[in-house]
């Protein structure tokens, strides 16, 4: 069994993004800028946003976090995004999800200029991904692809089971893998026999937020397991969606939690923001 070390891979991406930022500054006088909108007081969202801001600082980006109260109106959020769309110093706009119940998340995402949609959530970018055109791809699935590439794990012809069908993870993950010629199954909450699907897979990718959902008897020997889940359990520690101790014994490769997919999500956000800055119209 080999661990897929997301942390060290993410650090390599930080280094390479940092070097590109230097060049961009010197040659074009451009400092990539990321704007983050954070609404409410969810501790997990606050923690993620803090990590994103810290990562921006590390690679020399300009970044701002716009913190708004839970009571904010949808129109005020839309107004803020419109300002960011027009701000030439901002290359990427990220609205941290989930949003409060009174806000229409789909509407908010659609207001973001697709050229600044570094989260890859705008229908324009989702559509481009589905048909295999260049655009912004959601950070977590893109990070998973980077991990598979870095460890020379081939995808073509592989049976991949994705557990979780969210717009943020499962669906874009499926598109990326299909574009890379995998045979893709997406299992979700209504799937009748999850085990039948995971057992048939060469690669299992799970991101549902259920600790220890994937157990030893649900996977075949030699499988590759990518664990996107991040769950804080009663004793305060972080665990994924996979019963790591038992499952890892049967794996050829597996990602740990923490230190697996999590750091890659932030690294690919930086990559996406850099990509946007390079296309800045100056
Ligand atoms: N909430 C959980 N994951 C993400 C993400 O990748 N982007 C944003 N904006 N919100 C999230």
């Amino acid at each position: 069994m080999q661990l897929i070390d997301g942390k060290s891979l993410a650090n390599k991406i930080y280094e390479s993004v940092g070097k590109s930022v230097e060049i961009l500054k010197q040659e074009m006088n451009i400092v990539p800028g990321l704007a983050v909108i954070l609404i409410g007081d969810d501790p997990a969202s606050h923690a993620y946003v803090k990590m994103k801001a810290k990562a921006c600082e590390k690679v020399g980006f300009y970044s701002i976090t716009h913190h708004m109260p839970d009571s904010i109106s949808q129109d005020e959020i839309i107004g803020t995004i419109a300002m960011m769309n027009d701000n030439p110093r901002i290359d990427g706009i990220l609205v941290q999800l989930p949003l409060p119940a009174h806000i229409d998340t789909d509407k908010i995402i659609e207001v973001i200029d697709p050229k600044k949609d570094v989260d890859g959530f705008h229908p324009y970018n989702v559509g481009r991904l589905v048909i295999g055109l260049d655009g912004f791809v959601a950070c977590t699935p893109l990070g998973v692809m980077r991990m598979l590439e870095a460890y020379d794990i081939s995808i073509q012809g592989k049976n991949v089971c994705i557990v979780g069908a969210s717009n943020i993870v499962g669906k874009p993950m499926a598109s990326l893998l299909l574009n890379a010629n995998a045979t893709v199954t997406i299992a979700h909450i209504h799937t009748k026999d999850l085990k039948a699907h995971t057992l048939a897979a060469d690669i299992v990718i799970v991101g549902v937020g259920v600790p220890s959902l994937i157990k030893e008897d649900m996977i075949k020997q030699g499988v590759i397991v990518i664990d996107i889940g991040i769950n804080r359990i009663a004793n305060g520690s972080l665990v994924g969606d996979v019963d790591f101790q038992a499952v890892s014994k049967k794996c050829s490769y597996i990602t740990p939690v923490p230190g697996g997919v999590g750091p890659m999500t932030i690294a690919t956000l930086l990559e996406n923001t850099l990509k946007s800055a390079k296309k800045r119209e100056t």
Side-chain angles (χ1 to χ4, degrees):
M1 181 275 288
Q2 195 180 344
L3 270 185
I4 300 181
D5 184 350
K7 200 169 172 197
S8 82
L9 195 53
N11 280 332
K12 280 188 197 153
I13 294 176
Y14 281 20
E15 258 179 51
S16 126
V17 170
K19 281 183 190 151
S20 299
V21 171
E22 278 307 312
I23 295 168
L24 211 54
K25 275 183 197 168
Q26 278 166 19
E27 294 183 357
M28 316 262 300
N29 201 24
I30 286 176
V31 178
L34 177 70
V36 176
I37 295 179
L38 171 63
I39 297 162
D41 296 311
D42 176 54
S45 288
H46 273 257
Y48 292 136
V49 166
K50 213 168 152 183
M51 285 191 274
K52 289 169 186 177
K54 212 170 136 190
C56 284
E57 198 182 316
K58 212 166 164 176
V59 297
F61 284 6
Y62 162 68
S63 87
I64 50 167
T65 300
H66 213 94
H67 187 200
M68 296 166 150
D70 243 328
S71 56
I72 197 90
S73 74
Q74 183 158 306
D75 283 347
E76 278 176 276
I77 304 171
I78 289 173
T80 304
I81 294 173
M83 273 182 352
M84 292 169 170
N85 282 342
D86 290 338
N87 183 343
R89 288 185 73 189
I90 302 294
D91 301 288
I93 301 169
L94 182 152
V95 181
Q96 186 65 29
L97 304 181
L99 296 177
H102 68 281
I103 306 291
D104 180 346
T105 301
D106 293 335
K107 175 77 195 156
I108 294 297
I109 289 170
E110 279 201 82
V111 177
I112 298 170
D113 181 345
K115 292 202 242 23
K116 297 190 177 187
D117 171 38
V118 288
D119 248 335
F121 293 167
H122 192 287
Y124 174 83
N125 284 311
V126 175
R128 290 185 70 88
L129 169 64
V130 169
I131 59 176
L133 294 176
D134 184 49
F136 290 115
V137 176
C139 301
T140 301
L142 185 58
V144 171
M145 295 303 278
R146 294 274 185 272
M147 292 172 121
L148 297 174
E149 281 160 25
Y151 283 77
D152 281 329
I153 295 166
S154 72
I155 293 166
Q156 181 154 298
K158 293 275 167 66
N159 292 324
V160 185
C161 179
I162 300 166
V163 184
S166 69
N167 290 341
I168 293 181
V169 177
K171 288 180 197 169
M173 190 78 251
S175 291
L176 283 167
L177 290 162
L178 188 58
N179 291 347
N181 301 325
T183 301
V184 183
T185 304
I186 311 183
H188 46 76
I189 192 106
H190 300 293
T191 297
K192 284 198 184 113
D193 186 356
L194 174 62
K195 184 174 167 179
H197 294 290
T198 54
L199 259 180
D202 305 307
I203 303 175
V204 174
I205 301 176
V206 55
V208 289
V210 180
S212 295
L213 176 72
I214 305 300
K215 304 207 163 38
E216 188 184 3
D217 65 343
M218 295 170 70
I219 45 139
K220 67 179 181 186
Q221 190 69 40
V223 70
I224 294 155
V225 171
I226 307 290
D227 189 350
I228 296 173
I230 303 179
N231 311 290
R232 198 168 290 281
I233 54 170
N235 69 8
S237 61
L238 284 180
V239 299
D241 292 348
V242 175
D243 178 1
F244 184 88
Q245 273 224 312
V247 166
S248 59
K249 289 182 195 136
K250 289 174 86 176
C251 292
S252 55
Y253 293 91
I254 186 167
T255 60
V257 177
V261 176
M264 290 301 293
T265 295
I266 296 179
T268 49
L269 172 67
L270 299 179
E271 278 192 336
N272 281 352
T273 307
L274 175 68
K275 175 173 164 173
S276 177
K278 283 181 173 170
K279 290 184 180 164
R280 197 189 277 190
E281 290 146 10
T282 46

